[in-house]
Amino acid sequence: MKTPSIAMLSFAFVFLFSISWVASADTHEDFLHCLSLHSENSAAISKVIYTPNNPSYLSVLQFSIRNLRFARPTTPKPLVIVTPLHESQIQAAIYCSKEHGMQIRVRSGGHDYEGLSYVSEVPFVIVDLINLRSITVDIENSTAWVQAGATLGELYYRIAEKSKTIGFTAGVCPTVGVGGHFSGGGYGMMSRKHGIAVDNIIDAHLIDVNGRILDRESMGEDLFWAIRGGGGASFGVILAWKIKLIVVPEKVTVFTVNRTLEQNATELVHRWQYIADKFDENLLMRVFIRRANSSQDGKRTLQASFTSLFLGEVDTLLPLMQKSFPELRLAKDDCIEMSWIESILYFAGFPSGESLDVLLNRTSQGGIYFKGKSDYVKQPISEKGLKGSWEMLYDEKLEGVEFLYSPYGGRLSEISESETPFPHRSGNIYNIHYIVFWGEADIATSEWNINWIRRVYSYMTPFVSKSPRAAYFNYRDLDLGVNNKGNTSYTQASIWGVKYFKNNFNRLFSIRNLRFARPTTPKPLVIVTPLHESQIQAAIYCSKEHGMQIRVRSGGHDYEGLSYVSEVPFVIVDLINLRSITVDIENSTAWVQAGATIGELYYRIAEKSKTLGFTAGVCPTVGVGGHFSGGGYGMMSRKHGIAADNIIDAHLIDVNGRILDRESMGEDLFWAIRGGGGASFGVILAWKIKLIVVPEKVTVFTVNRTLEQNATALVHRWQYIADKFDENLLMRVFIRRANSSQDGKRTIQASFTSLFLGEVDTLLPLMQKSFPELRLAKDDCIEMSWIESILYFAGFPSGESLDVLLNRTSQGSAYFKGKSDYVKQPISEKGLKGSWEMLYDEKLEAVEFLYSPYGGRLSEISESETPFPHRAGNIYNIHYVVAWGEADIATSEWNINWIRRVYSYMTPFVSKSPRAAYFNYRDLDLGVNNKGNTSYTQASIWGVKYFKNNFNRLVHVKTKVDPGNFFRNEQSIPPVSSWWKNKGV
């Protein structure tokens, strides 16, 4: 059975590792008793537990504290330290920490820049992996298993013990623990040739929040992706890594060339920036900027140390340097040939001739008080800019300070930003590591030094990466932003998250509506991510046998979270692995599995043809399983109808586990799943769709008008023509807040956003005839292919690769609430203004009204052709959505109540008897089923709003195919009871 997805594990560990708890004075005693009860050998675990009463407690705690800022007497201390000898002892610690409301901090080497592996402001336990450091090197297969408590020095030593021509690419400090270093990236002196450590990890062992030991296969590719650069501590306890070893030459060459300002250091570093990322990939040259004494007059100056590793012999290196960087004047006497393992000692600062055994010493050469920061440089910094930052190093109060410039390029630039969470790839010339350190323990000295490095960081703003200002996760910096002590919103976490991970942060945080991602939200007992239909059949059978509900998720976009939340014991069947797409160009059809996204479908169609497409929604991460079964409105719906109008077959597993197609399921059930919500009737496996012909060129435009630019009159006029335009044209209107171009004050903006299935020269006369008031000009329009229009409406920048459609990660998650309405008569200008005025509320963070036109093909199809009934007579649909960033209940309630007030205000202006709604904009305010059996009368409260008269037929189909109501949720179609059968319903 597959294990929980990355999102579930991440949120589970947020719950365990990041929530503030109130612990009693007896908490640690209860915890110790729990450990004893849940350990295979209580005597054995007692030997690896340290409490403040234990005489060894402080020495164990302080042994791996590298930053003395977090070793003061006032620093919060753990209630218990566990130094496990076996995995089962970690499992017990996780279980007991959950039971007794304590956080867990995991320490492998103790080098976290902000002490987060051994400090917390709430009651906590340290799991110190110092005893789990075995290393098994397999020379024959060039791999190794290394436990997370091992250090880099131990790993390098054990590799070199077996071979002189095998090595590994990671950092230079031998006392750094591999558990944290690898999970944050792992840059080192061979990274330009072989990438960083995470690029060479091929398997891992992890204990999840439920105490299960997972490997790559059982954890799944999402979680395996996340722990390789996303920080393992967010997702579980890393036990071990399996790494791919690399071939190193028998001889490598190292050199360190020092140049002071008087020896032309400024010009040399300035020149270095233009070539550092372009050198032969066998060469990596770092630059250290430090204070020094001038050789000319003994006064303070600055020294640039060009420190390099070349994977080859000196006679090969010198011509390369002469060609690429002659200005450095590198001579043969500057260079030293040695083995790769000897170079490890060289860069770690050990004297020549030091025994390799020093790599087995886990003790740092000395703890210091320090603060670090980092930046990425994408454009060379001017000499003036460099000098400006270096001048700050002259401050007499500074005790120790260093800037380190580490080059990128080579293999680092060849790997995609999204290959692992570590995103710092192509386009980065070098990373800057700023560090300041001092020897005095007093708070005033610490504050002065920390404020100094913050001033440096501020000065560097114009010269480094922007949007975001990127940082390296292994140089952790809490100045970038921190989580709340309790629940933290996506918005707050993204302040620091995008700086470390850029767009990968969204995948690390992958739940669509965060209202249903709180720790208090009910979680599934099991998540199944089937690779084959038989695994779904087994899940259905076992869920029935053991009285559990099934929730089916394809893309996770259900507005009310019904595909992944239930208040009764439940199982999620997540179809993420069932997403194959087969396009048949000859017959203009395609089979698409329900776990595929709309983006993946569009991509695969365009891969085969420039003149075929499909009519469905605009958000590329929406899953086709739910979207098609709820209708599937999109930008070509006025020409070709909705997705459900173009489905010609389907595969479904019913309540009895049978796999049915259109013929075997019958026309009633085939009718029901095309707009009636497939989750009420079974598990949709796949759809067969009829592809549509699209022109080689389509035209798009977005015209924005504020209130001061006559927006009210334009939208009012739009209502009279939106459903009557040429069917090749679909023009939506977004209503949003904006700043007035006239006085900068808040105003309302209407964005008229359109797709025309034809060229601009055909469009303009149509617009001049139908909607001259908009004053559309040729310059407003862009001609492009249909598939490019998909990216345009999804909000991607011009020139974005089509490959972005294969990314299943949303561009951002949020807390949100949506509602919908249908408009049958134009709303007066006064009525429009009244609703728009509600958008001015200062408490609102993000809000939008979307008006989507109907008419055309939508009006030609009968209301009863599919369960989707919104056909002739509807001018447009309104989608209201409000979003917010704070996780607290009060903020959620305020926003939800706000959108309810909007909905109430709109009552006189929208459809009546029933007040209709679009099923894909799910809204539990319309009504919900009972937790047990639901009557027809109760379900019809919400059912007729989504389906109008089609609700009765849906109930009959449900009664026929699932009379026991196994497939159910808060808004699923109920089977009719025997009482209602007697009434003839």
Side-chain angles (χ1 to χ4, degrees):
M1 181 178 294
K2 298 292 282 188
T3 51
S5 67
I6 172 180
M8 297 304 299
L9 282 167
S10 177
F11 280 107
F13 263 79
V14 166
F15 187 76
L16 173 58
F17 282 42
S18 304
I19 294 177
S20 178
W21 299 88
V22 178
S24 70
D26 297 326
T27 295
H28 73 287
E29 294 297 333
D30 295 336
F31 177 82
L32 295 175
H33 182 62
C34 178
L35 280 181
S36 178
L37 290 176
H38 290 88
S39 298
E40 296 174 1
N41 186 330
S42 58
I45 199 166
S46 67
K47 297 176 182 178
V48 297
I49 293 173
Y50 301 86
T51 69
N53 297 326
N54 189 305
S56 299
Y57 171 84
L58 274 180
S59 62
V60 171
L61 174 63
Q62 293 174 355
F63 179 78
S64 295
I65 292 181
R66 313 300 180 182
N67 192 341
L68 298 184
R69 286 168 55 207
F70 308 108
R72 295 187 173 101
T74 55
T75 302
K77 306 294 190 294
L79 297 180
V80 180
I81 303 172
V82 184
T83 58
L85 294 165
H86 189 266
E87 300 158 343
S88 62
Q89 295 166 339
I90 303 175
Q91 293 170 306
I94 291 173
Y95 176 83
C96 295
S97 296
K98 289 197 293 182
E99 278 292 296
H100 297 285
M102 298 168 70
Q103 275 192 21
I104 279 185
R105 295 294 165 101
V106 181
R107 180 166 70 178
S108 57
H111 283 262
D112 189 293
Y113 272 36
E114 298 284 8
L116 299 191
S117 64
Y118 51 87
V119 176
S120 175
E121 293 184 5
V122 299
F124 72 108
V125 176
I126 289 178
V127 174
D128 192 319
L129 303 178
I130 189 170
N131 293 323
L132 296 177
R133 60 179 194 264
S134 75
I135 300 166
T136 306
V137 178
D138 179 352
I139 291 297
E140 185 178 349
N141 293 301
S142 296
T143 62
W145 272 105
V146 51
Q147 285 189 305
T151 63
L152 294 178
E154 291 170 326
L155 173 60
Y156 295 152
Y157 182 94
R158 297 304 175 198
I159 295 171
E161 198 175 36
K162 293 289 184 77
S163 172
K164 294 181 178 179
T165 57
I166 297 290
F168 190 66
T169 176
V172 299
C173 178
T175 59
V176 166
V178 303
H181 182 68
F182 289 6
S183 74
Y187 178 98
M189 293 300 294
M190 296 196 292
S191 289
R192 296 194 65 252
K193 174 70 171 182
H194 297 290
I196 55 174
V198 296
D199 299 329
N200 296 277
I201 292 171
I202 54 178
D203 204 345
H205 290 164
L206 169 143
I207 301 181
D208 75 358
V209 72
N210 298 309
R212 293 171 300 181
I213 299 175
L214 309 174
D215 62 6
R216 177 173 183 171
E217 182 179 0
S218 55
M219 76 177 70
E221 288 302 305
D222 267 0
L223 180 53
F224 183 64
W225 173 87
I227 61 177
R228 291 177 299 133
S234 291
F235 304 100
V237 178
I238 305 291
L239 293 174
W241 303 103
K242 186 178 183 181
I243 58 175
K244 179 179 63 180
L245 303 179
I246 59 178
V247 175
V248 294
E250 288 194 9
K251 284 185 181 179
V252 302
T253 304
V254 301
F255 66 81
T256 299
V257 173
N258 299 317
R259 297 286 188 264
T260 63
L261 295 184
E262 296 75 16
Q263 294 168 322
N264 217 24
T266 310
E267 292 84 351
L268 287 171
V269 174
H270 183 255
R271 172 63 184 152
W272 172 89
Q273 297 177 103
Y274 287 87
I275 51 179
D277 62 324
K278 300 176 183 69
F279 280 132
D280 184 290
E281 62 181 12
N282 289 294
L283 175 64
L284 189 148
M285 186 189 301
R286 298 172 111 172
V287 182
F288 292 85
I289 306 297
R290 303 184 181 107
R291 299 185 298 183
N293 291 321
S294 173
S295 59
Q296 297 180 9
D297 55 15
K299 292 182 179 178
R300 274 289 174 96
T301 187
L302 294 178
Q303 179 177 273
S305 297
F306 296 84
T307 302
S308 299
L309 171 68
F310 177 67
L311 298 173
E313 298 182 3
V314 65
D315 290 339
T316 308
L317 169 64
L318 290 174
L320 291 175
M321 284 295 294
Q322 180 58 33
K323 179 181 179 182
S324 301
F325 198 14
E327 298 88 347
L328 188 62
R329 301 194 305 278
L330 182 70
K332 194 167 187 174
D333 289 346
D334 298 319
C335 303
I336 311 169
E337 290 185 337
M338 57 180 63
S339 66
W340 167 76
I341 193 63
E342 289 171 332
S343 79
I344 296 297
L345 271 63
Y346 177 86
F347 293 113
F350 292 110
S352 176
E354 183 73 60
S355 168
L356 292 181
D357 291 346
V358 74
L359 296 176
L360 301 178
N361 182 2
R362 296 180 66 94
T363 307
S364 290
Q365 296 174 46
I368 54 173
Y369 298 87
F370 73 88
K371 171 70 180 177
K373 286 181 168 292
S374 64
D375 263 318
Y376 281 89
V377 176
K378 292 175 173 286
Q379 298 293 331
I381 301 172
S382 66
E383 289 190 20
K384 181 180 178 182
L386 292 171
K387 287 179 182 176
S389 65
W390 298 353
E391 285 169 3
M392 301 178 80
L393 301 179
Y394 285 116
D395 198 301
E396 290 299 323
K397 281 190 176 182
L398 290 168
E399 297 180 45
V401 65
E402 176 182 281
F403 297 167
L404 168 59
Y405 305 157
S406 297
Y408 277 54
R411 178 65 181 146
L412 286 165
S413 292
E414 296 168 1
I415 298 171
S416 164
E417 281 194 1
S418 60
E419 182 71 20
T420 67
F422 179 92
H424 313 296
R425 305 293 188 170
S426 179
N428 292 291
I429 302 175
Y430 61 101
N431 169 277
I432 305 180
H433 177 220
Y434 318 91
I435 190 167
V436 60
F437 40 93
W438 58 98
E440 297 299 317
D442 63 284
I443 299 298
T445 300
S446 289
E447 288 181 351
W448 187 90
N449 281 276
I450 292 170
N451 286 331
W452 178 87
I453 201 170
R454 287 171 177 163
R455 291 196 300 273
V456 171
Y457 190 75
S458 176
Y459 169 85
M460 292 298 294
T461 303
F463 307 112
V464 296
S465 60
K466 299 170 180 63
S467 302
R469 183 172 182 175
Y472 178 25
F473 187 68
N474 277 354
Y475 297 149
R476 178 106 66 174
D477 179 9
L478 294 188
D479 289 347
L480 301 182
V482 295
N483 295 339
N484 292 329
K485 293 179 184 177
N487 292 335
T488 291
S489 69
Y490 169 88
T491 302
Q492 183 172 354
S494 66
I495 293 170
W496 57 263
V498 297
K499 294 171 184 173
Y500 291 134
F501 308 117
K502 298 170 76 170
N503 290 334
N504 293 331
F505 181 68
N506 293 327
R507 183 174 174 188
L508 290 167
F509 202 108
S510 58
I511 286 284
R512 313 301 185 187
N513 191 341
L514 299 184
R515 284 168 55 209
F516 309 108
R518 295 187 173 101
T520 55
T521 301
K523 305 296 189 295
L525 299 179
V526 179
I527 301 175
V528 183
T529 56
L531 295 166
H532 190 267
E533 300 156 344
S534 62
Q535 294 165 338
I536 303 175
Q537 292 171 305
I540 291 172
Y541 175 82
C542 294
S543 296
K544 288 198 296 180
E545 278 291 297
H546 297 283
M548 298 168 69
Q549 277 192 20
I550 277 187
R551 296 294 166 100
V552 181
R553 179 167 67 181
S554 57
H557 284 262
D558 190 292
Y559 271 37
E560 298 285 10
L562 299 192
S563 64
Y564 49 89
V565 176
S566 175
E567 294 185 1
V568 298
F570 72 110
V571 175
I572 289 179
V573 174
D574 191 318
L575 303 178
I576 189 169
N577 293 321
L578 296 177
R579 59 180 193 264
S580 75
I581 299 166
T582 305
V583 178
D584 179 352
I585 292 297
E586 186 176 348
N587 293 301
S588 297
T589 62
W591 272 104
V592 51
Q593 284 189 305
T597 63
I598 295 174
E600 290 170 328
L601 173 60
Y602 293 156
Y603 182 95
R604 296 305 174 199
I605 296 170
E607 200 175 34
K608 294 290 185 72
S609 172
K610 293 180 179 179
T611 57
L612 287 178
F614 190 65
T615 175
V618 299
C619 177
T621 59
V622 167
V624 303
H627 183 65
F628 290 6
S629 72
Y633 178 97
M635 293 301 292
M636 296 196 292
S637 289
R638 296 194 66 252
K639 174 72 170 182
H640 296 289
I642 56 173
D645 299 330
N646 295 276
I647 292 171
I648 55 177
D649 204 344
H651 290 164
L652 170 143
I653 301 181
D654 74 359
V655 70
N656 298 310
R658 297 174 301 178
I659 299 176
L660 309 174
D661 62 6
R662 177 173 183 171
E663 183 178 359
S664 55
M665 76 177 69
E667 288 302 306
D668 269 358
L669 180 52
F670 182 63
W671 173 88
I673 61 176
R674 291 177 298 134
S680 292
F681 304 99
V683 179
I684 305 290
L685 293 174
W687 303 103
K688 185 178 183 180
I689 58 175
K690 179 180 63 181
L691 303 180
I692 59 177
V693 175
V694 295
E696 288 195 7
K697 284 186 180 178
V698 302
T699 304
V700 301
F701 67 81
T702 298
V703 173
N704 299 317
R705 297 287 187 262
T706 62
L707 295 184
E708 297 75 16
Q709 296 167 322
N710 215 24
T712 310
L714 287 171
V715 175
H716 183 255
R717 171 62 184 152
W718 171 88
Q719 297 176 103
Y720 287 88
I721 51 178
D723 62 326
K724 301 177 182 66
F725 279 131
D726 184 290
E727 63 180 10
N728 289 295
L729 175 65
L730 189 148
M731 186 190 303
R732 299 171 110 173
V733 182
F734 292 86
I735 305 298
R736 304 183 180 106
R737 299 183 299 185
N739 291 322
S740 172
S741 59
Q742 297 180 9
D743 56 15
K745 292 182 179 178
R746 274 289 173 94
T747 186
I748 299 297
Q749 179 177 272
S751 296
F752 297 84
T753 302
S754 298
L755 171 68
F756 177 66
L757 298 173
E759 298 182 4
V760 64
D761 291 338
T762 308
L763 168 64
L764 290 174
L766 292 175
M767 285 295 294
Q768 181 58 34
K769 179 181 177 182
S770 302
F771 197 14
E773 298 87 346
L774 189 62
R775 301 195 306 278
L776 181 70
K778 193 167 187 174
D779 288 346
D780 298 320
C781 303
I782 310 170
E783 289 184 338
M784 57 180 62
S785 66
W786 167 75
I787 193 63
E788 290 171 332
S789 78
I790 297 298
L791 271 62
Y792 177 88
F793 293 114
F796 292 109
S798 176
E800 183 72 62
S801 167
L802 293 180
D803 291 348
V804 74
L805 296 176
L806 301 178
N807 182 0
R808 296 180 66 94
T809 307
S810 290
Q811 295 176 53
S813 301
Y815 299 87
F816 72 88
K817 171 70 178 176
K819 286 181 168 292
S820 64
D821 263 318
Y822 280 89
V823 177
K824 292 176 172 287
Q825 298 293 329
I827 301 172
S828 66
E829 289 193 20
K830 181 179 179 181
L832 293 172
K833 287 179 182 177
S835 65
W836 298 353
E837 285 169 2
M838 302 178 80
L839 302 178
Y840 286 116
D841 197 303
E842 289 300 322
K843 281 191 175 182
L844 291 168
E845 295 181 43
V847 64
E848 176 181 279
F849 297 165
L850 168 59
Y851 305 159
S852 296
Y854 277 52
R857 178 63 181 149
L858 287 166
S859 292
E860 297 167 2
I861 299 172
S862 163
E863 281 194 2
S864 60
E865 182 70 20
T866 66
F868 180 92
H870 314 295
R871 305 294 186 169
N874 291 291
I875 303 175
Y876 60 102
N877 168 276
I878 305 179
H879 177 219
Y880 319 91
V881 67
V882 61
W884 59 98
E886 295 302 316
D888 63 284
I889 299 299
T891 301
S892 290
E893 288 181 349
W894 186 90
N895 281 276
I896 291 170
N897 286 331
W898 178 87
I899 202 170
R900 286 170 177 163
R901 292 195 300 274
V902 171
Y903 191 74
S904 175
Y905 169 85
M906 292 298 294
T907 304
F909 307 112
V910 296
S911 61
K912 299 169 180 65
S913 301
R915 182 171 181 176
Y918 178 26
F919 187 67
N920 277 353
Y921 297 149
R922 177 104 66 176
D923 180 10
L924 294 188
D925 289 347
L926 301 182
V928 295
N929 296 338
N930 291 330
K931 292 180 184 177
N933 290 329
T934 292
S935 70
Y936 170 90
T937 301
Q938 183 173 354
S940 67
I941 294 171
W942 58 264
V944 297
K945 294 172 183 173
Y946 291 134
F947 307 116
K948 298 169 76 170
N949 291 334
N950 293 331
F951 182 67
N952 290 334
R953 185 176 173 188
L954 288 169
V955 169
H956 279 290
V957 176
K958 173 72 170 183
T959 305
K960 180 179 177 182
V961 302
D962 184 17
N965 202 24
F966 172 70
F967 291 109
R968 65 184 184 273
N969 59 47
E970 287 76 359
Q971 282 189 348
S972 59
I973 305 297
V976 71
S977 69
S978 58
W979 188 89
W980 283 104
K981 285 181 182 177
N982 293 334
K983 292 289 183 182
V985 173

